[in-house]
């Protein structure tokens, strides 16, 4: 039999790319290594550097810093006498910049990636220019220059959208851009680029590298738009893709996303299992787990969990999400001052990031705090801004939840008809979404109001409860209402008895549930 002829170097490079796109990493690495060696044998230094570059690119994306570092050292040795403006030098500085990002050295990353961009521009290397601009944009965002970083992302994506770069660069660029949008809560760009990546992947269903974490992001954006069934399907697909052939780092994110959707749909047991499994795979289950505890009436556990997570979080991505949940949970347990303090920080973060979505989240939190402080007039303006902001990014669920707060504020101001319209619109949206937990809360409010007709507590007891919710002591309540401290003590005891609670925080939370505050 005739033996098979060895592959030529050009065929090895094609095999390496095809194997990478199919997530056959070992085969891809072997092909790049063999092609690199053949280029060295023929004295083709640029070809040898090119093959080593794509091998290191794969290793860095996989988080294998030690192997990548060894190959970077080899490239540096090959280029010891190459000029600073050579194309190969630009590829090297991209890799060292990428490595610096993963190592946490952002100043070094910015310097190396900036040099890579300049070399790529001088040499007319569009692929390197695209990759380097995207990476440099991420670094600028990490360092607080959000507008400058986003501008670089937009510029890099021009070549991607025009089809001017190879499939490896296309897929990686979309994922890098979507990751950046996720980091800065840029929902509009994230939706556009996620949809574009989805269309590109749909034409090539065998592609695997862009069907893991990118699926998680797609699920997140679908959840925001209210397509919860489709979001759950994509989260499940992401979980399978990230589990095989080996478990990937983003698996915890996919499982957490499943937990979020189960929680929103009132499937609390399934949500709890997902949060625990996400934690097992390295994804902190907060804020979802704390919000689940609050939904189950476990206020103390919710407050402890979210407080711990917030104390540990100092990064740009997770802290705003935790702050928003912290406000909700603190209001749920009756700690209005703590909620207000978190609102202040949340507003500052929203302004610094320039995120329309985060600005709406911040406005809703401010409105909720003002409602809890018995000032519906002050609550309406930020709540209306929040509703408009959520509509602009097509966040249906958030529009509905904000509508409930607007309805409560309008009713407190005597606008019964306007409140009724808001409640009806919110209920219709929640029913369409299948938001079982929120619908149950609305039903409880309606039945409680119908059963009590506002008569569960006397008018004086409602006054006292509102002051309790503000954190006032019995002595200060008495001074404000012109009552003796003993009389206030009796009112507080009656409130506890009628509501079936044993603490001021629990009485406050129950008051919110009954819409008395």
């Amino acid at each position: 039999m005739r033996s098979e002829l060895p592959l030529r170097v050009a065929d090895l490079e094609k095999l390496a790319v095809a194997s990478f796109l199919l997530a056959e990493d070992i085969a891809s690495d072997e092909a790049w290594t063999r092609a690199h060696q053949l280029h060295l044998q023929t004295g083709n230094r640029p070809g040898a550097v090119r093959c080593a570059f794509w091998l290191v690119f794969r290793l860095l994306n996989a988080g294998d810093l030690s192997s990548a570092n060894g190959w970077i050292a080899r490239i540096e040795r090959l280029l010891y006498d190459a000029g600073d403006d050579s194309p190969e030098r630009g590829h090297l500085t991209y890799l060292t910049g990428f490595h610096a990002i993963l190592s946490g050295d952002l100043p070094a990353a910015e310097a190396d990636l900036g040099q890579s961009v300049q070399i790529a521009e001088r040499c007319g290397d569009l692929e390197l220019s695209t990759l380097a601009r995207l990476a440099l944009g991420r670094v600028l965002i990490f360092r607080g220059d959000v507008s400058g970083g986003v501008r670089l992302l937009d510029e890099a994506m021009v070549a991607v959208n025009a089809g001017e770069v190879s499939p490896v660069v296309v897929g990686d660029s979309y994922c890098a851009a979507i990751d950046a949008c996720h980091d800065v809560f840029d929902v509009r760009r994230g939706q556009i680029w996620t949809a574009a990546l989805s269309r590109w992947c749909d034409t090539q269903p065998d592609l695997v590298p862009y069907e893991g974490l990118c699926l998680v992001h797609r699920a997140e954006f679908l959840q925001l738009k209210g397509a919860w069934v489709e979001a759950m399907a994509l989260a499940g697909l992401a979980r399978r893709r990230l589990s095989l052939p080996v478990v990937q780092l983003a698996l915890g994110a996919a499982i957490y996303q499943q937990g979020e959707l189960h929680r929103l749909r009132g499937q609390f047991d399934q949500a709890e299992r997902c949060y625990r499994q996400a934690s097992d795979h390295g994804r902190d289950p907060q804020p979802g787990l704390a919000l689940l505890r609050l939904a189950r009436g476990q206020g103390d556990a919710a407050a402890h969990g979210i407080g711990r997570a917030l104390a540990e979080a100092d990064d740009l991505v997770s802290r705003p999400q935790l702050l928003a949940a912290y406000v909700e949970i603190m209001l749920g347990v009756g700690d209005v001052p703590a909620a207000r303090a978190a609102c202040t920080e949340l507003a500052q973060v929203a302004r610094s990031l320039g995120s329309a979505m985060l600005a709406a989240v911040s406005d809703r939190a401010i409105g909720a705090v003002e409602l809890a402080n018995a000032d519906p007039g002050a609550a309406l303006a930020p709540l209306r801004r929040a509703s408009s902001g959520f509509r602009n990014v097509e966040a249906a669920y958030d529009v509905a939840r904000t509508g409930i707060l607007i309805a409560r504020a309008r009713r407190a101001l005597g606008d019964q008809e306007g409140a009724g319209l808001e409640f009806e619109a919110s209920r219709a949206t929640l029913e369409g979404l299948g938001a079982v937990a929120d619908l149950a809360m609305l039903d409880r409010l309606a039945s409680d109001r119908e059963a009590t007709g506002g008569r569960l507590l006397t008018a004086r007891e409602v006054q006292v409860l509102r002051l309790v919710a503000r954190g006032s002591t019995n002595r200060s309540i008495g001074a404000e209402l012109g009552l003796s401290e003993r009389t206030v003590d009796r009112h507080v005891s009656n409130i506890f008895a009628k509501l079936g609670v044993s603490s001021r925080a629990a009485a406050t939370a129950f008051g919110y549930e009954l819409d008395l505050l």
Side-chain angles (χ1 to χ4, degrees):
M1 290 180 63
R2 216 171 85 185
S3 60
E4 293 184 3
L5 294 175
L7 290 176
R8 296 176 301 176
V9 67
D11 294 327
L12 281 168
E13 291 190 27
K14 292 176 182 177
L15 175 61
V17 171
S19 298
F20 172 79
L21 293 173
L22 294 171
E24 296 176 358
D25 295 338
I26 295 176
S28 179
D29 292 353
E30 289 177 348
W32 282 126
T33 301
R34 181 59 182 150
H36 167 79
Q37 292 167 345
L38 290 178
H39 281 306
L40 287 178
Q41 291 172 13
T42 59
N44 183 355
R45 184 167 64 179
V49 171
R50 180 179 64 251
C51 294
F53 170 85
W54 288 115
L55 175 55
V56 177
F57 179 81
R58 208 284 302 169
L59 292 169
L60 289 173
N61 274 293
D64 189 349
L65 299 189
S66 58
S67 297
N69 201 42
W71 276 96
I72 289 173
R74 173 174 286 197
I75 295 173
E76 288 174 335
R77 180 170 53 80
L78 287 172
L79 297 179
Y80 75 96
D81 61 348
D84 289 340
D85 283 340
S86 69
E88 294 75 35
R89 182 69 64 182
H91 284 80
L92 174 60
T93 53
Y94 170 81
L95 294 176
T96 55
F98 192 170
H99 191 284
I101 292 175
L102 299 178
S103 302
D105 189 350
L106 295 183
E110 183 174 354
D112 285 355
L113 291 170
Q115 184 180 355
S116 182
V117 169
Q118 292 173 4
I119 294 173
E121 289 297 306
R122 286 195 292 267
C123 297
D125 191 329
L126 188 57
E127 292 212 335
L128 177 61
S129 173
T130 299
L131 290 172
R133 287 182 189 280
L134 282 165
L136 182 57
R138 297 294 303 280
V139 171
L140 292 183
I141 289 171
F142 291 149
R143 301 198 73 184
D145 183 3
V146 176
S147 61
V150 170
R151 191 178 300 113
L152 281 173
L153 297 180
D154 286 341
E155 185 178 357
M157 294 305 289
V158 171
V160 175
N161 292 327
E164 298 172 345
V165 293
S166 67
V168 172
V169 176
V170 169
D172 183 79
S173 298
Y174 274 126
C175 285
I178 292 167
D179 282 346
C181 291
H182 177 267
D183 291 348
V184 297
F185 302 89
D186 192 335
V187 173
R188 183 60 66 194
R189 276 187 178 83
Q191 289 171 336
I192 292 171
W193 288 340
T194 297
L197 175 60
S198 298
R199 290 192 297 271
W200 185 71
C201 287
D202 288 345
T203 65
Q204 305 168 89
D206 291 330
L207 291 179
V208 176
Y210 318 114
E211 287 290 303
L213 183 58
C214 290
L215 282 173
V216 178
H217 292 313
R218 287 162 62 187
E220 291 170 343
F221 288 124
L222 284 172
Q223 175 188 320
L224 276 175
K225 295 184 72 171
W228 288 1
V229 174
E230 295 89 339
M232 182 65 83
L234 284 181
L237 179 58
R239 181 171 182 171
R240 290 193 294 275
R241 289 286 175 86
L242 291 165
S243 301
L244 299 170
V246 296
V247 172
Q248 298 178 47
L249 291 175
L251 177 59
I255 301 173
Y256 177 86
Q257 183 60 26
Q258 287 182 310
E260 287 289 89
L261 289 160
H262 282 307
R263 176 176 62 81
L264 293 173
R265 297 168 69 179
Q267 300 162 342
F268 291 163
D269 290 341
Q270 296 96 314
E272 176 120 13
R273 283 196 296 272
C274 285
Y275 290 139
R276 291 186 179 281
Q277 291 167 356
S279 179
D280 290 341
H281 288 282
R283 202 307 186 176
D284 192 323
Q286 304 298 357
L289 183 59
L291 291 170
L292 176 64
R293 294 282 178 262
L294 183 67
R296 284 184 147 170
Q298 302 166 348
D300 289 344
H304 176 78
I306 197 66
R308 186 274 308 164
L310 190 59
E312 296 175 359
D314 58 0
D315 61 287
L316 189 69
V317 180
S318 64
R319 191 162 181 85
Q321 297 174 346
L322 292 168
L323 283 167
Y326 184 85
V327 172
E328 182 175 346
I329 291 168
M330 290 302 102
L331 291 179
V333 299
D335 192 344
V336 178
R340 186 180 292 280
C343 269
T344 301
E345 182 182 350
L346 184 57
Q348 292 171 346
V349 174
R351 284 193 297 270
S352 67
L353 291 178
S355 164
M357 178 67 183
L358 201 55
V361 171
S362 172
D363 280 331
R364 182 174 61 193
I366 292 169
V369 168
E370 296 299 343
L371 265 181
N373 201 43
D375 193 347
L380 266 181
L383 289 175
R384 285 175 177 145
R385 289 197 304 269
S387 180
S388 177
F390 288 132
R391 289 181 191 279
N392 288 337
V393 296
E394 302 178 49
Y397 174 69
D398 291 288
V399 170
R401 292 197 66 204
T402 307
I404 294 172
L405 294 173
I406 292 174
R408 289 178 52 194
R410 285 181 168 174
R411 188 171 58 200
L413 293 170
D415 182 7
Q416 300 300 327
E417 182 177 11
L421 291 173
E422 290 284 353
F423 274 127
E424 290 172 11
S426 295
R427 179 179 289 278
T429 298
L430 294 172
E431 287 175 347
L433 292 171
V436 175
D438 292 277
L439 287 169
M441 180 269 293
L442 275 180
D443 289 340
R444 284 198 307 274
L445 288 176
S447 62
D448 286 336
R449 284 193 299 273
E450 183 177 347
T452 64
R455 295 184 297 273
L456 185 63
L457 302 180
T458 66
R460 178 64 83 184
E461 287 167 348
V462 170
Q463 283 183 306
V464 171
L465 180 56
R466 286 173 178 164
L467 293 172
V468 167
R470 285 167 50 182
S472 300
T473 65
N474 287 2
R475 176 173 296 179
S476 61
I477 292 172
E480 183 165 341
L481 298 180
L483 303 174
S484 69
E485 187 174 355
R486 178 173 296 181
T487 300
V488 176
D489 289 341
R490 186 174 67 252
H491 283 312
V492 171
S493 297
N494 289 340
I495 291 169
F496 284 6
K498 289 181 178 181
L499 298 182
V501 298
S502 58
S503 70
R504 299 169 86 88
T508 299
F510 206 112
Y512 289 128
E513 286 289 308
L514 291 177
D515 209 15
L516 296 173
L517 304 179

